[in-house]
């Protein structure tokens, strides 16, 4: 990218990815069927809402690569890309509608869900015996943890919107996109 | 919720420092060979091929001097998936029935295919964890930057990406400590992070999140000012304290592994 990056936005993207990684380790609720609810999506949403889609996407991308470097779980070449950098990068799309943040959050979460579903289906069709439908399994399994995670992240962002963190985000210094 | 006391002991990453040849290889070599291995393992279609691949991975493990228990620790979370893959394929593949119980029929072809897939999963997980066990996240970031550098022309911000990852890695322990401190402070004031339903818990986390975010973004701001005060202006012409060095050993490992894995994938 020939455009010069704003140092402050760059550092915020990095810090948000680090925050997401830490919040991802704090399990706040264990779902009955195994998945867990964490707040890892919240910092990525905050960055996307403060600095726009590109910043959110990069933050998610970095979180994905960090997870890949720190605790990889690779079972398929395509799964590696679709489980690590892509779904978190998709969350960055939450910054798409600066005036309708809630709509953005739903779009971001939905895109993450779609990528996980594709990834699950690809994995499942590679390992499951023929004749089993990979889509049903993948749709259900991924919904079981992304839906509660998305709801809790959206509720929290809704509450944070009332705080200076997101309220005055746009006019705090050189906070331009990228 | 993870109890606050154990939060401190969470190990970040898997890297185990060492002095083996594998540890000292250029991260670029290791990333390239691992990617090749991940793809290559998908083309192997026989037990002989997987046997040879297992031998190759075992050789790497021996060289690295990493105790086997660390490798098996990585397998623990996926053991159910591996067993399930084996069982589903063994019972649901059509073929010569060797054992039947109700509607479940174990077939010869199923056993063969299930075993093959289970071995593939195990080799994939062990093979990729060698990379993260022998290479620190910072070295991996350096390697990634160097591998992505040719992509600058098409718009991949290799330097910025590596810089952001380095900053994130540096901030993880600091922010972890900060999180713990704020949690304890709020608990001392009577905050309850551990009961209630999903929504109540989400709400109860606000007193943790707001100070955490504010302090994290303040740190980010301070770092950005410090960087700009030192004339940071992006990747052009920046030098490094530790240069990556592609040595003869890297060449031999890359060429040898490359030829071996491609041969395995195509022939075995």
């Amino acid at each position: 990218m020939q455009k010069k990056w704003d140092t402050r936005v760059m550092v915020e993207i990095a810090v948000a990815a680090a925050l997401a990684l830490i919040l991802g380790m704090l399990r706040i609720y264990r779902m009955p069927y195994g998945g867990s609810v964490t707040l890892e999506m919240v910092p990525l949403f905050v960055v996307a809402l403060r600095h726009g889609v590109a910043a959110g996407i990069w933050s998610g991308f970095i979180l994905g690569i960090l997870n890949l470097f720190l605790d990889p779980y690779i079972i398929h070449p395509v799964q590696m890309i679709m489980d690590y950098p892509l779904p978190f990068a998709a969350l960055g799309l939450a910054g798409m509608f600066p005036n309708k943040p809630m709509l953005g959050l739903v779009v971001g979460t939905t895109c993450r869900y779609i990528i996980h579903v594709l990834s699950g289906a690809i994995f499942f069709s590679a390992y499951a015996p023929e004749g089993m439908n990979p889509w049903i399994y993948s749709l259900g399994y991924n919904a079981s943890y992304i839906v509660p995670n998305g709801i809790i992240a959206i509720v929290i962002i809704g509450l944070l919107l009332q705080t200076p963190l997101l309220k005055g985000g746009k006019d705090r210094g050189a906070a331009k996109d990228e | 919720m993870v109890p606050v006391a154990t939060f401190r002991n969470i190990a970040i990453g898997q890297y185990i420092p060492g002095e083996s040849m594998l540890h000292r290889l250029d991260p670029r070599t290791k990333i390239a060979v691992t990617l090749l291995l991940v793809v290559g393992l998908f083309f192997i279609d026989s037990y002989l091929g997987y046997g040879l691949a297992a031998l190759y991975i075992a050789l790497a493990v021996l060289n690295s001097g990493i105790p086997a228990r660390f490798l098996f620790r990585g397998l623990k979370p996926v053991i159910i998936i591996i067993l399930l893959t084996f069982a589903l394929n063994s019972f649901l593949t059509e073929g010569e029935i060797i054992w039947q119980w109700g509607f479940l029929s174990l077939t010869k072809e199923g056993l063969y295919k299930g075993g093959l897939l289970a071995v593939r999963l195990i080799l994939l997980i062990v093979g990729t964890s060698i990379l993260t066990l022998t290479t620190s996240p910072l070295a991996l970031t350096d390697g990634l930057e160097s591998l992505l550098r040719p992509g600058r022309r098409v718009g991949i911000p290799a330097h910025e990406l590596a810089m952001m990852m380095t900053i994130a890695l540096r901030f993880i322990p600091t922010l972890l400590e900060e999180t713990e401190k704020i949690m304890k402070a709020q608990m001392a004031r009577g905050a309850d992070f551990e009961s209630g339903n999903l929504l109540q818990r989400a709400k109860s986390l606000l007193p943790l999140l707001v100070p955490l975010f504010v302090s994290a973004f303040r740190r980010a701001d301070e770092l950005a000012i410090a960087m700009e005060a030192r004339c940071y202006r992006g990747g052009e012409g920046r030098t490094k304290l530790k240069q990556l060095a592609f040595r003869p050993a890297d060449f031999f490992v890359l060429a040898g592994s490359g030829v071996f894995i491609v041969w395995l994938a195509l022939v075995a």
Side-chain angles (χ1 to χ4, degrees), chain A residues 1 5 7-8 10-15 18-19 21-23 25-29 39 42-43 46 58 61-62 65-66 68-77 80 123 126-129 132 152 156 159-160 165, chain B residues 1-2 7 10 13-14 35 42 78 81 85 88-89 117 120-121 124 128 132 137 140 155 157 160-161 163-165 167-169 172 175-176 198 201-202 205-206 209-210 212-213 216-217 220-221 223-224 228 232:
Chain A
M1 213 160 282
W5 285 57
T7 311
R8 181 217 286 263
M10 241 175 92
V11 178
E12 263 189 40
I13 292 172
V15 168
L19 269 176
L21 195 97
I22 289 171
L23 292 175
M25 298 187 302
L26 269 174
R27 179 182 294 126
I28 59 168
Y29 204 87
L39 296 177
V42 176
V46 169
W58 281 117
F61 186 80
I62 287 167
I65 304 279
L66 283 177
L68 189 62
F69 282 178
L70 292 172
D71 222 351
Y73 166 45
I74 299 167
I75 44 185
H76 192 290
M80 178 177 84
F123 161 74
Y127 287 98
M132 290 183 79
I152 206 165
I156 286 189
L159 295 167
L160 285 179
L165 197 68
Chain B
M1 170 78 70
V2 181
F7 197 41
I10 291 177
Q14 309 176 313
L35 287 180
F42 265 82
V78 278
I81 293 184
T85 303
L88 279 176
N89 280 288
L117 291 175
R120 179 190 287 174
L121 276 175
L124 272 170
T128 47
T132 44
L140 285 171
E160 285 78 8
L161 204 60
M163 175 57 93
M164 290 189 282
M165 286 187 55
I167 295 171
L169 284 167
I172 290 169
L175 292 177
L176 206 55
L198 201 59
R201 285 197 197 201
L205 279 161
L206 272 188
L209 282 184
V210 173
L212 182 63
F213 279 37
F217 285 132
D221 211 35
L223 178 61
E228 281 179 345
Y232 172 76

Side-chain angles (χ1 to χ4, degrees), chain A:
Chain A
M1 213 160 282
Q2 299 306 317
K3 237 181 307 172
K4 198 178 168 311
W5 285 57
D6 185 294
T7 311
R8 181 217 286 263
V9 176
M10 241 175 92
V11 178
E12 263 189 40
I13 292 172
V15 168
L19 269 176
L21 195 97
I22 289 171
L23 292 175
M25 298 187 302
L26 269 174
R27 179 182 294 126
I28 59 168
Y29 204 87
R30 191 189 285 275
M31 300 303 292
Y33 300 103
S36 57
V37 177
T38 70
L39 296 177
E40 65 183 340
M41 286 154 79
V42 176
L44 302 178
F45 284 157
V46 169
V47 156
L49 293 178
R50 274 164 70 94
H51 301 298
V53 174
I57 289 179
W58 281 117
S59 200
F61 186 80
I62 287 167
L63 172 68
I65 304 279
L66 283 177
N67 275 329
L68 189 62
F69 282 178
L70 292 172
D71 222 351
Y73 166 45
I74 299 167
I75 44 185
H76 192 290
V78 180
Q79 169 263 353
M80 178 177 84
I81 295 166
M82 302 211 32
D83 264 3
Y84 288 96
L86 279 190
F88 296 111
L91 291 177
L93 295 175
M96 226 156 51
F97 309 101
N99 300 319
K100 290 198 188 110
M102 286 303 163
L103 181 62
L105 298 184
V106 174
V107 170
T109 311
T110 311
C111 290
R112 175 183 178 190
Y113 175 62
I114 292 170
I115 293 173
H116 275 305
V117 168
L118 287 175
S119 162
I122 289 169
F123 161 74
F124 204 65
S125 56
Y127 287 98
E130 276 153 48
M132 290 183 79
N133 189 334
W135 294 99
I136 293 169
Y137 155 84
S138 188
L139 280 166
Y141 170 75
N142 286 302
S144 76
Y145 68 94
I146 290 182
V147 169
N149 267 302
I151 290 173
I152 206 165
I154 290 170
V155 167
I156 286 189
I157 292 286
L159 295 167
L160 285 179
L161 280 173
Q162 313 304 322
T163 67
L165 197 68
L166 285 174
K167 226 181 192 169
K170 284 282 169 201
D171 46 50
R172 280 174 43 143
K176 58 175 194 283
D177 279 12
E178 265 188 284

Side-chain angles (χ1 to χ4, degrees), chain B residues 39 44 106 109 111 123 139-140 143 154 168 182 214 226 252:
Chain B
V39 178
I44 301 176
L106 190 65
E109 286 78 4
L111 268 183
L123 291 182
L140 285 171
V154 291
I182 297 171
V214 169
F252 285 121

Side-chain angles (χ1 to χ4, degrees), chain B residues 129-181:
Chain B
S129 53
I130 295 176
L131 174 68
T132 44
L133 283 163
T134 62
T135 322
S136 72
L138 273 180
L140 285 171
T141 304
D142 265 4
L144 188 71
E145 175 181 9
S146 170
L147 288 173
L148 287 180
R149 203 170 292 147
R152 282 196 80 92
R153 282 169 192 280
V154 291
I156 299 174
H159 163 77
E160 285 78 8
L161 204 60
M163 175 57 93
M164 290 189 282
M165 286 187 55
T166 311
I167 295 171
L169 284 167
R170 170 61 189 82
F171 265 88
I172 290 169
T174 315
L175 292 177
L176 206 55
E177 205 174 292
E178 191 90 9
T179 311
E180 194 190 342
K181 219 191 271 172

Side-chain angles (χ1 to χ4, degrees), chain B residues 17 24 27 56 64 118 125 131 135 149 190 225 259:
Chain B
R24 281 181 285 120
Y56 168 80
S64 69
I125 302 228
L131 174 68
T135 322
R149 203 170 292 147
I225 291 169
V259 170

